[in-house]
Amino acid sequence: MNKGLLIVVSAPSGCGKGTILKEILKDERFYYSVSATTRDPREGEIDGVHYRFYSREKFEQLVSENIMLEHAEYCNNYYGTRGDIVEEMRNKGKDVILEIEVQGAMNVMKKCPDAVSIFILPPSVKELERRLRKRGTEEEEVIAERLSKALDEISHANQYKYIIVNNALEDAIDDFRAVIKAERLKAEYAGEILDEVVKNA
Amino acid sequence: MNKGLLIVVSAPSGCGKGTILKEILKDERFYYSVSATTRDPREGEIDGVHYRFYSREKFEQLVSENIMLEHAEYCNNYYGTRGDIVEEMRNKGKDVILEIEVQGAMNVMKKCPDAVSIFILPPSVKELERRLRKRGTEEEEVIAERLSKALDEISHANQYKYIIVNNALEDAIDDFRAVIKAERLKAEYAGEILDEVVKNA
């Protein structure tokens, strides 16, 4: 069996990343990597589903043992990805999806040059603003902050391998699937196929 | 407008490469690069359609002017690809397909590291043998020679970027399309898209 892919996905808030991933994850070949964190669970959050909830001591231990593939601290809490679980799932042939922030994504790309990194863009920043406004729940200040953060994130988009514009959801999902299909056809994954083809020749 | 892709396709004889390309080329976004040769046209062959027929002098002049992207001599005749036409079509936004032998493909990959190289495999060498035999027109000796050539070509497959196994024609065509779609989503082609997205932000 071939080792699964490591897929890194980032997008500014409001780009439809969640909807795209929900559709992609219907295929059992994918495994969604659940982030680790030291923050307290919120109402309804389940350990191992929404996050892996760890104590600060446990998290720091995992970091010192080099088990975290990437991690960062926000608002006095750690967030990160357990590299051992990622490896285990890839070795089982699963394509592992990491849905992470730009900075974490950059770190993973540095550590794993074979990572399939995908940045999802809104059709335009104007449209992103419209989408954020449409939610209706946000204050002007929050919208401005989100937009400024989005622009900053977008400035890193060209450091990803692939860029998908979420103009129409179906097209964006098709694009995502094409990227994964193509990556699986890469020659470096074809060792076993080649052996099979020339077998008994 | 984005520059078109340079797509290099090789496959042993009998792998269905022609059928796959015929289907792919229905999309006008693609341009099939017509090879240049110094051999005489055969009955029914049209200059500029089946080959670009050149005199030996003309061909050698193109080589000395560095206009040939790749060329080789077989059976006392030159065969090659005009790089100037490839560039012209790519600059018009066309994805240019070169259907060439392994040696020529290697040369193009060396000169153009951004080339999208695809090797098409038969499901197995046994199946390839069956397909070649099924044609019924070939002598045993010719079949043995073709198979030996195929094995030699397949030994270079892992030097291509992508490997497609033509097990079922429809699947192979889907794979081919996914590779092209994914390549068009590569960040290095997204400069204009990024400009567009942040425009008037």
Side-chain angles (χ1 to χ4, degrees):
Chain A
M1 189 180 39
N2 278 324
K3 192 174 174 175
L5 304 169
L6 175 58
I7 304 159
V8 174
V9 187
S10 303
S13 167
C15 287
K17 179 181 55 174
T19 317
I20 293 170
L21 289 184
K22 201 175 153 195
E23 189 60 32
I24 293 297
L25 286 162
K26 285 183 182 166
D27 182 340
E28 287 192 356
R29 171 137 184 188
F30 293 99
Y31 170 79
Y32 181 86
S33 166
V34 178
S35 293
T37 184
T38 57
R39 78 152 167 77
D40 290 330
R42 291 184 193 136
E43 176 99 27
E45 281 184 343
I46 302 157
D47 185 32
V49 175
H50 300 92
Y51 280 97
R52 301 176 193 281
F53 294 103
Y54 293 137
S55 68
R56 225 175 148 80
E57 294 66 40
K58 168 81 176 168
F59 200 107
E60 283 170 353
Q61 191 199 326
L62 291 170
V63 171
S64 71
E65 287 170 353
N66 217 8
I67 284 171
M68 300 308 285
L69 179 58
E70 56 82 30
H71 74 283
E73 200 167 359
Y74 297 107
C75 310
N76 231 12
N77 278 306
Y78 288 129
Y79 293 82
T81 304
R82 280 189 65 151
D84 57 341
I85 297 173
V86 167
E87 271 310 289
E88 184 194 332
M89 299 313 286
R90 289 183 73 191
N91 287 332
K92 282 183 182 166
K94 296 270 187 187
D95 293 332
V96 176
I97 296 185
L98 307 189
E99 184 186 0
I100 48 180
E101 297 274 327
V102 170
Q103 209 45 59
M106 298 290 160
N107 290 336
V108 174
M109 289 184 226
K110 236 177 278 168
K111 269 196 184 173
C112 313
D114 68 334
V116 180
S117 52
I118 303 174
F119 194 95
I120 299 169
L121 282 177
S124 68
V125 175
K126 281 260 166 259
E127 168 63 16
L128 182 65
E129 187 177 350
R130 204 187 59 77
R131 288 185 194 171
L132 290 174
R133 244 176 244 292
K134 212 176 140 194
R135 293 184 180 174
T137 50
E138 254 79 70
E139 308 274 341
E140 270 310 303
E141 207 179 306
V142 176
I143 290 173
E145 203 180 289
R146 289 241 168 123
L147 278 174
S148 150
K149 186 159 178 267
L151 274 169
D152 179 54
E153 289 168 329
I154 291 170
S155 75
H156 294 283
N158 59 2
Q159 291 168 263
Y160 287 64
K161 272 193 194 150
Y162 297 99
I163 291 180
I164 292 174
V165 179
N166 187 6
N167 213 325
L169 186 64
E170 273 313 308
D171 293 343
I173 292 167
D174 278 355
D175 285 351
F176 199 109
R177 290 202 173 114
V179 165
I180 303 309
K181 194 171 209 178
E183 284 288 336
R184 287 176 185 156
L185 294 168
K186 285 259 175 93
E188 48 263 46
Y189 291 99
E192 284 174 40
I193 295 167
L194 278 164
D195 292 346
E196 196 64 28
V197 166
V198 298
K199 205 174 64 180
N200 313 320
Chain B
M1 188 179 44
N2 278 324
K3 192 174 175 177
L5 303 169
L6 175 58
I7 303 158
V8 174
V9 187
S10 303
S13 167
C15 288
K17 178 181 55 172
T19 317
I20 294 169
L21 289 183
K22 202 175 153 193
E23 190 60 32
I24 293 296
L25 286 161
K26 284 182 182 166
D27 182 341
E28 287 191 356
R29 170 135 186 190
F30 293 100
Y31 171 78
Y32 181 86
S33 165
V34 178
S35 293
T37 184
T38 58
R39 80 152 165 76
D40 290 329
R42 292 184 194 138
E43 177 98 26
E45 281 184 343
I46 301 157
D47 185 33
V49 175
H50 299 93
Y51 281 96
R52 301 177 193 281
F53 295 104
Y54 293 137
S55 68
R56 225 176 149 80
E57 295 66 41
K58 169 78 175 169
F59 200 106
E60 283 170 353
Q61 190 199 326
L62 290 169
V63 171
S64 71
E65 286 169 354
N66 217 7
I67 284 172
M68 300 308 286
L69 178 58
E70 56 83 29
H71 73 284
E73 201 167 357
Y74 298 107
C75 311
N76 231 13
N77 278 307
Y78 287 128
Y79 292 81
T81 304
R82 281 190 66 152
D84 57 341
I85 296 172
V86 167
E87 270 311 288
E88 184 194 332
M89 300 312 288
R90 290 183 72 190
N91 287 332
K92 282 183 182 164
K94 296 271 187 184
D95 294 332
V96 176
I97 295 185
L98 306 189
E99 184 187 359
I100 49 179
E101 297 272 327
V102 170
Q103 208 46 60
M106 298 289 159
N107 291 335
V108 173
M109 289 184 228
K110 236 178 277 170
K111 270 194 182 174
C112 312
D114 68 334
V116 180
S117 52
I118 302 174
F119 195 94
I120 300 169
L121 282 176
S124 68
V125 175
K126 281 260 167 260
E127 168 64 16
L128 182 64
E129 186 177 349
R130 204 187 59 77
R131 287 184 196 174
L132 290 174
R133 244 176 245 292
K134 212 174 139 196
R135 292 183 180 175
T137 50
E138 254 79 68
E139 308 273 340
E140 270 310 304
E141 206 179 309
V142 176
I143 290 174
E145 203 179 289
R146 290 240 166 122
L147 278 174
S148 150
K149 187 159 178 270
L151 274 169
D152 179 54
E153 289 167 327
I154 290 169
S155 75
H156 294 282
N158 58 2
Q159 292 169 262
Y160 288 65
K161 273 193 193 148
Y162 297 99
I163 291 180
I164 293 175
V165 179
N166 187 6
N167 214 324
L169 186 62
E170 274 312 309
D171 293 342
I173 292 167
D174 278 356
D175 285 351
F176 199 108
R177 290 203 173 111
V179 165
I180 303 308
K181 194 170 208 177
E183 284 287 335
R184 287 177 186 155
L185 294 168
K186 284 257 174 94
E188 49 262 47
Y189 290 100
E192 286 173 40
I193 294 167
L194 278 164
D195 292 346
E196 197 65 29
V197 167
V198 298
K199 207 174 62 182
N200 313 319

